[in-house]
Amino acid sequence: MTTDISTPTPTVPADERETFDSLSPVNGDVVGTHPVHTAEDVQVAVSRAHEAALYWSSLSFDERAEKLNIWKGVITRRIAQIADLMHHETGKPHSDATLEVALALDHIAWAGKNAKKVLGRQKVSSGLVMANQAATVEYKPLGVVGVIGPWNYPVFTPMGSIVYALAAGNAVVFKPSELTPGVGGWLAATFSEVVPDHPVFQVVTGLGETGAALCRAGVDKLAFTGSTATGKKVMAACAETLTPVVIEAGGKDAVLVDEDADLDAAADAALWGACANAGQTCIGVERVYVHDRVYDEFLARLVDKAKDLRAEDSPDTKIGPITMPSQLEVIRSHIGDAIARGGRAVVGGPEAVGDRYVQPTILVDVPEDSSAVQEETFGPTMTVSRVADMDEAVSRTNGTRYGLGSTVFAKARGMEIAERIRSGMTSVNGVISFAAIPSLPFGGVGDSGFGRIHGPDGLREFTYAKAIARQRFKPLLALTSFTRTAKADQQLTQMITMLHGRASTLPK
Ligand code: NDP
């Protein structure tokens, strides 16, 4: 019998082991049963990962890239299998699941291909004063990276950390959401087919406590994606051992529509951005600010596009169920608050929230301080507000505690408006485009978190910078020695005056 290296064998005797079920949000069927890994199990996984990290980090960038490439091929050939599992665990339509995996594959390719260029040793200037030194910087793997992921994009989201951490030379221990443990297990198991002799990428399953145990198990960095509230708990747990963290948390992303925008494209993007994946997208559209001059026409087009869109249990539905049942109450309360405070539903409304499905809902005239505008709803809903100009749109967009993504529809001023929005990422005349460009960093500010995945920043996030200064020849001025003379001090003063003195003259 071969041992499964992709997950630790529970330390508790078989007859005392706790398990949990993942359930289909479509009908409540049990999709799979998984072990609740205890703190001790997590510790075992992390210890094994430290050993595996020695092997993995000893490989060259090219060798790691080759293995990541093989893994990419395995996932690609079995894309229907993983998409089916994602559909069962999250309820999302098969086509959305397939798209999600396809986007993740692009990231594996990019991270493997670019790790050497971004992280490998590079010469940097040593400056005039230290001209006798050769200076280099390189980025070394941290060791073991713990990854805690959400359920809404169970492949794309955690892979943004896992793949970049692996490409940088780290071993990974991944705790998927309790709603999507099967998908997490599938990812680690396929990787172990490619790297069968070392547990470089393991999965631990369980509830919140298993995640908390991972924070305390001696990982060298913890990459968390989930809600802001849990992010704070993760950070507090990691602070006990000075374990650094990346926090990819929630958002309240806006679309800004200027008077010269392509209104049809803007309405299409706002609707898809708000309702795709049943609105359960960290960078999903939750608010729309439209220039007064085009507000009525934009709204008419949006309503027209939304009126036939339905969330339902059918093989060709475009919108699936709400994956986490407790979110239904949040969505209901945000819609209720908006209506109670003078807002109107022009599509959907309070009755749109069912037992498992939520129908698309468009709210107008909603006060800016209501929960539907300020808090993450995570459902297929959006507020649409009229603004006098793009200054007001930017100011209102920047008026929440979040700052994850944003979208601008404009012809003349797209880039100018984009630059004024306080969010980690912005798409101009497209929606969510930045997430699918592997060379762009992904992450937020404020309550949306900090640190970056994807792109060169995402690779460096899972490394430490290693600086080396190597003396090439004896210095003309011996500065770092007690043999330094008064003459050397004088020569240094002359040199720094020449280098820096003139530019710092105060303006008259
Ligand atoms: P949660 O914060 O509920 O959970 C995230 C992960 O943390 C899960 O694996 C969860 O495990 C685990 N967890 C729960 N409690 C603890 C704890 N005390 N210590 C350590 N880990 C713990 O988020 P959701 O899964 O509900 O995901 C939705 C949220 O994720 C939304 O706010 C969304 O905006 C955000 N998100 C952000 C993204 C980004 O890149 N910025 C991308 C995707 C989503 P368990 O499930 O077992 O409770």
Side-chain angles (χ1 to χ4, degrees):
M1 194 183 84
T2 53
T3 341
D4 180 4
I5 63 156
S6 67
T7 188
T9 308
T11 49
V12 177
D15 55 344
E16 292 169 28
R17 276 176 208 163
E18 238 188 284
T19 59
F20 69 104
D21 296 332
S22 67
L23 306 176
S24 160
V26 174
N27 51 25
D29 284 358
V30 174
V31 181
T33 301
H34 302 267
V36 173
H37 282 115
T38 62
E40 210 180 336
D41 300 334
V42 175
Q43 193 71 62
V44 169
V46 171
S47 300
R48 294 166 77 211
H50 277 296
E51 275 183 39
L54 296 178
Y55 152 75
W56 187 242
S57 64
S58 74
L59 299 184
S60 67
F61 284 111
D62 290 341
E63 286 168 328
R64 282 194 294 267
E66 194 194 329
K67 293 196 188 305
L68 287 170
N69 214 22
I70 296 172
W71 186 36
K72 188 187 69 167
V74 172
I75 299 174
T76 308
R77 288 190 294 279
R78 297 183 204 164
I79 199 163
Q81 193 184 91
I82 181 66
D84 194 49
L85 184 52
M86 291 158 76
H87 164 71
H88 286 299
E89 286 197 328
T90 67
K92 70 174 68 191
H94 278 93
S95 68
D96 284 359
T98 307
L99 172 65
E100 181 182 334
V101 181
L103 296 180
L105 291 169
D106 245 8
H107 281 280
I108 305 182
W110 192 91
K113 186 162 167 237
N114 288 280
K116 187 176 181 178
K117 191 169 81 192
V118 175
L119 306 175
R121 187 181 300 162
Q122 283 172 26
K123 282 191 192 155
V124 293
S125 161
S126 51
L128 208 57
V129 178
M130 301 298 271
N132 67 318
Q133 302 283 330
T136 58
V137 62
E138 65 188 294
Y139 294 85
K140 307 275 243 180
L142 292 163
V144 177
V145 173
V147 176
I148 297 179
W151 46 264
N152 59 340
Y153 289 90
V155 169
F156 183 77
T157 296
M159 289 284 264
S161 299
I162 293 165
V163 165
Y164 288 78
L166 288 172
N170 301 280
V172 169
V173 178
F174 172 37
K175 152 68 177 75
S177 162
E178 67 194 66
L179 303 183
T180 52
V183 173
W186 190 97
L187 291 172
T190 49
F191 184 88
S192 75
E193 289 180 38
V194 179
V195 184
D197 298 326
H198 302 270
V200 171
F201 172 21
Q202 300 170 77
V203 74
V204 288
T205 52
L207 315 183
E209 294 79 52
T210 305
L214 184 57
C215 299
R216 298 187 169 98
V219 294
D220 298 291
K221 187 153 197 171
L222 196 294
F224 169 82
T225 309
S227 64
T228 306
T230 311
K232 289 177 186 175
K233 289 188 199 160
V234 163
M235 210 174 154
C238 287
E240 291 168 16
T241 47
L242 211 62
T243 303
V245 288
V246 182
I247 303 285
E248 298 288 350
K252 190 72 191 172
D253 291 6
V255 173
L256 294 77
V257 184
D258 203 357
E259 57 182 316
D260 63 351
D262 176 340
L263 295 184
D264 209 55
D268 187 69
L271 185 64
W272 186 82
C275 298
N277 208 34
Q280 306 165 112
T281 305
C282 53
I283 46 172
V285 172
E286 301 223 346
R287 303 177 285 158
V288 187
Y289 296 110
V290 191
H291 195 292
D292 179 43
R293 291 204 185 100
V294 292
Y295 177 87
D296 294 326
E297 193 186 338
F298 171 84
L299 189 61
R301 289 185 193 221
L302 182 65
V303 169
D304 187 54
K305 286 177 193 296
K307 67 180 191 308
D308 297 327
L309 191 60
R310 283 201 60 75
E312 59 195 0
D313 178 9
S314 91
D316 44 29
T317 188
K318 293 198 161 52
I319 306 181
I322 296 302
T323 308
M324 185 168 65
S326 60
Q327 199 64 28
L328 289 163
E329 199 38 52
V330 176
I331 302 168
R332 198 191 318 275
S333 81
H334 285 193
I335 297 174
D337 183 52
I339 304 277
R341 302 186 53 202
R344 289 183 297 123
V346 290
V347 172
E351 65 286 356
V353 184
D355 289 342
R356 293 186 189 274
Y357 290 83
V358 177
Q359 300 309 326
T361 291
I362 300 173
L363 300 162
V364 297
D365 301 336
V366 182
E368 205 63 10
D369 60 351
S370 69
S371 53
V373 177
Q374 293 295 322
E375 303 298 326
E376 187 179 51
T377 307
F378 233 51
T381 70
M382 71 186 114
T383 59
V384 185
S385 308
R386 187 191 292 273
V387 289
D389 52 29
M390 285 299 106
D391 288 347
E392 185 184 349
V394 169
S395 153
R396 290 217 215 171
T397 296
N398 292 345
T400 74
R401 58 199 172 94
Y402 295 106
L404 194 54
S406 51
T407 300
V408 177
F409 271 86
K411 288 208 178 77
R413 297 174 58 205
M415 284 302 285
E416 181 210 319
I417 297 165
E419 279 173 8
R420 291 167 56 201
I421 299 173
R422 186 175 179 269
S423 69
M425 303 146 302
T426 302
S427 293
V428 179
N429 296 330
V431 68
I432 306 185
S433 334
F434 47 76
I437 301 175
S439 49
L440 282 179
F442 186 104
V445 290
D447 272 15
S448 294
F450 51 82
R452 292 294 181 266
I453 56 174
H454 301 176
D457 301 78
L459 283 167
R460 288 197 195 102
E461 191 70 56
F462 299 107
T463 62
Y464 66 95
K466 174 76 182 179
I468 301 180
R470 179 179 58 82
Q471 178 164 300
R472 292 187 297 147
F473 52 85
K474 284 218 163 111
L476 298 175
L477 294 176
L479 298 176
T480 55
S481 163
F482 289 120
T483 62
R484 192 173 71 222
T485 60
K487 189 168 172 217
D489 282 343
Q490 198 186 0
Q491 286 173 325
L492 176 68
T493 308
Q494 281 168 354
M495 194 195 294
I496 58 169
T497 305
M498 197 178 74
L499 283 175
H500 306 296
R502 271 171 297 191
S504 58
T505 311
L506 287 170
K508 296 211 171 72

